[in-house]
């Protein structure tokens, strides 16, 4: 029979479970099990009584939580709720716009997927609205009530955009010294027979989807913090150079409206907008500007200056050399800069050699096919094939070919131009020519300012590839819905750039892709326990997933720790 006994050791009691029996007619302990102190026994009993959870549900926490905090801390939520007041019951227009932006970042997909996704995020517990209020029909009804039209007093999206700039300027989130401008286009799934919009038009699509209707987007962001300051959706059949005067008027009006002196602002534009007419528009606007100059418009002796004659820039621009010189371009004197970047040269060289590795074997196979008896090819078909293979940047300059017809058959000969390759390596790869009206700037200042253009190009890549925020798929049929779509996409980019800027304080050199990956991995689990008594309700405990040191630093810097404690409370 088992019994519990205590043994005192060094003034402390330790408990054992013992079994006794008679040995040679005398009672003896034949087996004993050590239990420990009284405190340890109490803990064991408590553990045995602790109930097992009935179910465990994972909730997206890190990324939607950080974006929601960014909307509040940046002032965007304050602007949206004041611009579109909350109704007596249910979510407001601000809720739908912010949720659409956050969903596009966290889980790319159409509005039909938002309801289920929202149900499994911490936003459902923070906002308290049932998931059914965020069906695709609810989104459509809400967005349909937003007043849009020609820019002016009645355009609620333009007004909200202006008010966002005001509050960001007041919070010192905008550095008006450097603004980056660029344009792009996005294909849509609008049917060819749809006449309900004027924005979706056919044109040269930068994603190669020329068979689909597209919309154009011009975009201005703050060169330091990356916030979206101004955007404009325009018809997809307009060229970049045609859109620039319209966008410039909007930019200048925005500066004047907010009391930002034009001469203190430097606008960075890409070479696609560097037409003579646009240069004159910039000059008349009275703002500073930096533009990439098309290669054939820069003087040859300047653009092909030997690398050895280009001064090396500071460690802030590693691998970059540049020289500046006043020159007459477009009928006026501007400061021209030739920039050589070793990393850029390596990227271009890799692209060229990859294209050559595909083009030369293809030409060889075509030449063999043409030599076979009975081969049937037309001259137009042959030349179209060759043009497609040589369409890569610089490839047509490096491959020479000759197509001749003899005795009713076509013969193809081709060769690699080594002299052209040497000229390409020594005078073209890695080079960019820039032009600016900031005559007192150094070459390094101009190069550093133009780096803001690279930031906006990364934004566009993040939009098109869906790595940052997915612009597509877009099925909207009307101009009004397309403009609302662009508004919350640009709002999402601003929220993302806001948390990215803050995250740099916790993890210097962190990329946007790394930030999204780390935040995605911070998950909150809801554990459902049975009630303590028969008539009670089930109990819920909220527990965060185990975080790495990097995730702990990000959570602390972005305020997720406080958000997690508030949801648990």
């Amino acid at each position: 029979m088992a019994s519990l006994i205590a043994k005192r050791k060094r003034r402390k009691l330790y408990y054992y479970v013992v079994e006794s029996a008679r040995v040679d007619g005398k009672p003896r302990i034949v087996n004993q099990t050590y239990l420990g102190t009284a405190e340890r026994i109490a803990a064991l009993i408590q553990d045995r009584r602790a109930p097992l959870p009935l179910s465990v549900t994972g909730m997206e926490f890190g990324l939607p939580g950080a974006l929601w905090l960014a909307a509040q801390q940046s002032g965007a939520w304050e602007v949206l709720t004041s611009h579109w007041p909350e109704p007596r019951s249910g979510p407001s227009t601000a809720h739908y716009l912010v949720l659409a932006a956050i969903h596009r970042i966290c889980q790319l997909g159409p509005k039909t997927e938002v309801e289920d996704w929202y149900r499994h995020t911490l936003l459902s517990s923070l906002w308290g609205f049932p998931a059914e209020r965020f069906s695709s029909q609810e989104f459509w009804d809400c967005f349909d009530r937003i007043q849009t039209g020609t820019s002016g007093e009645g355009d609620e999206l333009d007004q909200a955009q202006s008010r966002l700039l005001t509050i960001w300027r007041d919070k010192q989130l905008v550095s008006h010294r450097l603004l980056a401008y660029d344009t792009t286009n996005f294909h849509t799934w609008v049917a060819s027979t749809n006449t309900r919009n004027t924005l979706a038009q056919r044109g040269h699509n930068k994603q190669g989807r020329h068979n689909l209707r597209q919309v154009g987007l011009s975009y201005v962001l703050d060169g330091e913090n990356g916030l979206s300051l101004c955007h404009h959706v325009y018809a997809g059949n307009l060229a970049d150079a045609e859109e620039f005067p319209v966008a410039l008027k909007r930019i200048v009006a925005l500066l004047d409206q907010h009391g930002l002196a034009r001469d203190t602002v430097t606008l960075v534009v890409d070479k696609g907008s560097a037409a003579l007419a646009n240069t004159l528009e910039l000059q008349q606007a009275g703002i500073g500007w930096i533009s990439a100059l098309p290669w054939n418009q820069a003087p040859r002796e300047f653009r092909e200056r030997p690398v050895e004659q280009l001064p090396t820039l500071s460690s802030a621009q590693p691998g970059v050399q540049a020289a500046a010189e006043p020159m007459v371009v477009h009928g006026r004197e501007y400061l021209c800069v030739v920039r050589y970047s070793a990393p850029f040269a390596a990227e271009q060289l890799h692209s060229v050699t990859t294209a050559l590795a595909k083009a030369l074997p293809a030409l060889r196979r075509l030449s063999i096919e043409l030599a076979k008896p009975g081969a049937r090819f037309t001259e137009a078909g042959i030349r179209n094939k060759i043009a497609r293979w040589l369409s890569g940047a610089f490839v047509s300059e490096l491959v020479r070919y000759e197509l001749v017809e003899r005795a009713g058959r076509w013969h193809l000969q081709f060769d690699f131009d080594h002299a052209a390759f040497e000229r390409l390596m020594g005078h073209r790869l890695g080079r960019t020519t820039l032009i600016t009206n900031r005559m007192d700037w150094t070459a390094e200042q101009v190069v550093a300012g133009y780096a803001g253009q690279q930031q906006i190009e990364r934004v566009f890549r993040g939009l098109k590839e869906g790595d940052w925020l997915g612009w597509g798929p877009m099925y909207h049929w009307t101009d009004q819905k397309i403009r609302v779509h662009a508004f919350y996409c640009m709002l999402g980019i601003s929220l993302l750039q806001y948390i990215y800027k803050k995250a740099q304080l916790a993890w210097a050199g962190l990329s946007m892709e790394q930030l999204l990956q780390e935040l995605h991995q911070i998950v909150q689990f809801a554990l459902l326990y049975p009630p303590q008594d028969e008539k009670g309700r089930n109990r819920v405990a909220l527990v965060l997933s185990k975080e790495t040191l990097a995730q702990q630093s990000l959570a602390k810097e972005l305020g997720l720790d406080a958000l997690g404690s508030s949801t648990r409370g």
Side-chain angles (χ1 to χ4, degrees):
M1 181 176 178
S3 59
L4 185 67
I5 66 172
K7 296 182 181 180
R8 184 179 297 273
K9 296 181 180 179
R10 296 181 181 180
R11 300 182 180 179
K12 203 166 187 180
L13 291 176
Y14 295 90
Y15 293 88
Y16 297 82
V17 174
V18 299
E19 294 182 5
S20 302
R22 286 188 175 272
V23 179
D24 297 333
K26 297 180 180 180
R28 294 287 186 267
I29 295 176
V30 295
N31 188 22
Q32 71 176 14
T33 303
Y34 172 73
L35 297 178
T37 63
E39 292 81 5
R40 186 173 185 272
I41 296 174
L44 289 173
I45 296 174
Q46 182 66 30
D47 291 341
R48 292 289 297 272
R49 292 178 59 191
L52 294 175
L54 300 175
S55 64
V56 178
T57 304
M59 310 279 286
E60 286 195 40
F61 181 87
L63 188 53
L67 292 168
W68 168 240
L69 289 174
Q72 294 177 301
Q73 296 167 359
S74 67
W77 180 249
E78 176 186 344
V79 167
L80 297 179
T81 52
S82 62
H83 199 63
W84 290 287
E86 295 189 20
R88 292 183 178 179
S89 64
S92 67
T93 301
H95 285 99
Y96 286 101
L97 289 171
V98 171
L99 185 61
I102 295 177
H103 176 256
R104 284 274 164 178
I105 297 171
C106 297
Q107 182 178 306
L108 175 61
K111 296 296 182 294
T112 53
E113 300 176 0
V114 177
E115 179 180 343
D116 185 62
W117 171 83
Y118 166 81
R119 184 181 287 111
H120 296 93
T121 68
L122 87 161
L123 296 178
S124 60
S125 59
L126 288 176
W127 290 359
F129 299 120
E132 293 74 19
R133 295 305 304 266
F134 296 106
S135 65
S136 59
Q137 184 63 47
E138 293 280 357
F139 272 98
W140 195 95
D141 292 339
C142 173
F143 291 162
D144 195 52
R145 293 191 293 268
I146 297 177
Q147 299 298 316
T148 62
T150 57
S151 299
E153 294 297 326
D155 196 310
E156 294 182 349
L157 294 180
D158 280 349
Q159 294 170 10
Q161 193 169 237
S162 178
R163 294 179 66 179
L164 284 172
L165 177 55
T166 300
I167 197 166
W168 288 340
R169 184 198 61 189
D170 294 341
K171 289 179 173 288
Q172 298 181 347
L173 299 177
V174 174
S175 172
H176 62 269
R177 294 172 298 176
L178 193 67
L179 306 179
Y181 167 85
D182 203 357
T183 57
T184 191
N185 50 48
F186 299 92
H187 64 264
T188 72
W189 302 106
V190 176
S192 300
T193 55
N194 179 6
T195 59
R196 297 178 63 187
N197 73 73
T198 60
L199 292 176
Q201 301 290 339
R202 280 188 169 81
H204 178 76
N205 185 258
K206 297 180 180 179
Q207 295 171 280
R209 302 301 301 268
H210 308 302
N211 59 320
L212 298 175
R213 295 170 71 173
Q214 66 181 19
V215 296
L217 176 72
S218 63
Y219 180 40
V220 179
L221 59 74
D222 174 67
E224 183 175 329
N225 296 319
L227 299 182
S228 171
L229 306 183
C230 175
H231 71 270
H232 179 231
V233 184
Y234 59 95
N237 57 356
L238 289 180
D240 294 349
E242 296 178 55
E243 163 63 14
F244 183 75
V246 179
L248 183 60
K249 290 180 181 178
R250 294 172 62 91
I251 295 169
V252 171
L254 206 62
L255 295 176
D256 295 342
Q257 180 182 351
H258 293 85
L260 302 176
R262 298 187 186 184
D263 57 353
T264 64
V265 173
T266 301
L267 185 67
V268 184
V269 299
D270 197 11
K271 60 185 177 182
S273 304
L276 173 59
N278 291 339
T279 304
L280 296 176
E281 291 275 357
L282 285 166
Q283 200 64 33
Q284 293 173 2
I287 64 175
W289 53 272
I290 302 172
S291 171
L293 189 64
W295 184 253
N296 58 358
Q297 295 183 19
R300 182 172 182 177
E301 64 279 1
F302 178 71
R303 73 191 186 200
E304 297 184 358
R305 184 174 296 182
V307 176
E308 296 78 14
Q309 298 180 14
L310 301 178
T312 302
L313 301 186
S314 68
S315 58
Q317 301 284 339
V320 178
Q321 299 167 249
E325 185 177 320
M327 308 191 75
V328 176
V329 180
H330 294 169
R332 295 195 58 164
E333 186 178 65
Y334 297 107
L335 184 68
C336 292
V337 176
V338 57
R339 167 186 174 269
Y340 173 80
S341 169
F344 183 40
E347 292 175 6
Q348 288 183 306
L349 179 61
H350 175 73
S351 176
V352 170
T353 54
T354 301
L356 286 171
K358 296 179 180 178
L360 294 178
L363 288 171
R364 181 179 180 275
R365 289 193 296 269
L366 178 60
S367 179
I368 294 174
E369 289 291 328
L370 292 176
K372 291 181 179 179
R376 296 182 178 181
F377 291 90
T378 63
E379 181 180 5
I382 296 172
R383 294 192 182 277
N384 286 338
K385 286 177 178 289
I386 297 174
R388 188 167 62 252
W389 295 331
L390 304 183
S391 61
F394 311 119
V395 178
S396 61
E397 303 174 18
L398 302 177
V399 178
R400 297 176 299 181
Y401 74 93
E402 182 180 18
L403 183 66
V404 295
E405 184 182 17
R406 291 193 297 269
R409 295 173 58 183
W410 291 99
H411 299 269
L412 174 65
Q413 289 291 339
F414 62 92
D415 189 17
F416 179 73
D417 193 335
H418 293 273
F421 182 72
E422 291 180 4
R423 289 194 301 271
L424 185 69
M425 288 290 295
H427 303 288
R428 183 65 180 91
L429 294 186
R431 294 170 180 261
T432 307
T433 52
L434 307 175
I435 181 175
T436 179
N437 64 344
R438 298 298 194 190
M439 303 297 295
D440 57 338
W441 282 24
T442 65
E444 180 153 3
Q445 287 176 313
V446 176
V447 170
Y450 186 72
Q453 184 65 28
Q454 299 173 359
Q455 184 179 10
I456 202 169
E457 289 174 356
R458 286 195 296 270
V459 170
F460 282 148
R461 286 196 297 270
L463 285 171
K464 291 186 176 182
E465 298 172 6
D467 295 335
W468 292 14
L469 179 149
W471 173 281
M474 186 172 70
Y475 297 91
H476 302 301
W477 282 20
T478 63
D479 291 350
Q480 189 261 357
K481 294 298 187 303
I482 292 174
R483 288 199 55 206
V484 174
H485 178 91
F487 179 84
Y488 62 70
C489 283
M490 294 302 101
L491 174 64
I493 286 293
S494 294
L495 300 180
L496 198 55
Q497 295 278 32
Y498 179 85
I499 64 173
Y500 177 68
K501 187 72 174 179
K502 292 191 66 175
Q504 296 295 316
L505 301 176
W507 184 347
L510 174 72
S511 68
M512 182 69 79
E513 291 74 17
Q514 288 174 318
L515 173 65
L516 293 174
Q517 182 180 6
E518 294 292 340
L519 292 179
H520 263 304
Q521 294 174 1
I522 302 178
V523 181
Q524 187 180 68
F525 295 99
L527 285 73
L528 183 66
Y529 286 99
Q532 291 182 333
D533 50 53
E534 295 181 358
K535 297 183 179 180
R537 299 176 60 184
N538 288 337
R539 295 170 294 158
V540 178
L542 300 178
V543 181
L544 286 179
S545 59
K546 187 176 181 180
E547 300 174 357
T548 63
L549 291 177
Q551 291 168 0
Q552 291 175 10
S553 300
L554 290 173
K556 181 178 180 181
E557 188 62 43
L558 299 178
L560 291 174
D561 289 345
L563 188 62
S565 62
S566 65
T567 56
R568 287 191 291 271

